[in-house]
Amino acid sequence: MDKPPYIPNSDEFGELQRFVDSLYASAEFVDNLDAQVMAETYDLDYDLLEIVSCLPSGVYERARLADQLNSALAAHGWTQRFGTVE
């Protein structure tokens, strides 16, 4: 059985985790608009901005936001490229 091809991590690997860490550094809840504005301010890669823009409207505690972002990453097939968030 052939081994799947190696897909190297991007330079932005873990950047979304750092973004979420900073987003929740001083807040318990964040709404999707705050997350999108902060993502622009944080100067995330274009592909990561696309992931953040996939957030449905609403107010998120950290675990729910992480689930939403991880679902979007998986749907795009980008979990190995960018990592997942907690």
Side-chain angles (χ1 to χ4, degrees):
M1 186 174 228
D2 289 334
K3 190 174 178 183
Y6 172 72
I7 301 171
N9 299 333
S10 71
D11 290 340
E12 292 82 18
F13 186 86
E15 192 67 21
L16 200 56
Q17 179 65 58
R18 289 184 285 279
F19 165 70
V20 170
D21 290 344
S22 67
L23 194 60
Y24 285 94
S26 62
E28 188 175 340
F29 296 95
V30 174
D31 69 28
N32 70 322
L33 183 58
D34 289 336
Q36 290 180 34
V37 169
M38 183 70 164
E40 290 280 345
T41 304
Y42 204 74
D43 199 27
L44 289 179
D45 177 82
Y46 177 80
D47 291 335
L48 292 176
L49 288 174
E50 183 177 336
I51 294 299
V52 175
S53 74
C54 290
L55 287 171
S57 296
V59 177
Y60 296 92
E61 60 186 358
R62 186 183 179 120
R64 184 167 171 244
L65 181 90
D67 288 345
Q68 290 289 329
L69 294 175
N70 289 335
S71 292
L73 285 164
H76 283 77
W78 290 344
T79 55
Q80 188 170 5
R81 180 177 170 198
F82 295 120
T84 56
V85 295
E86 298 176 349

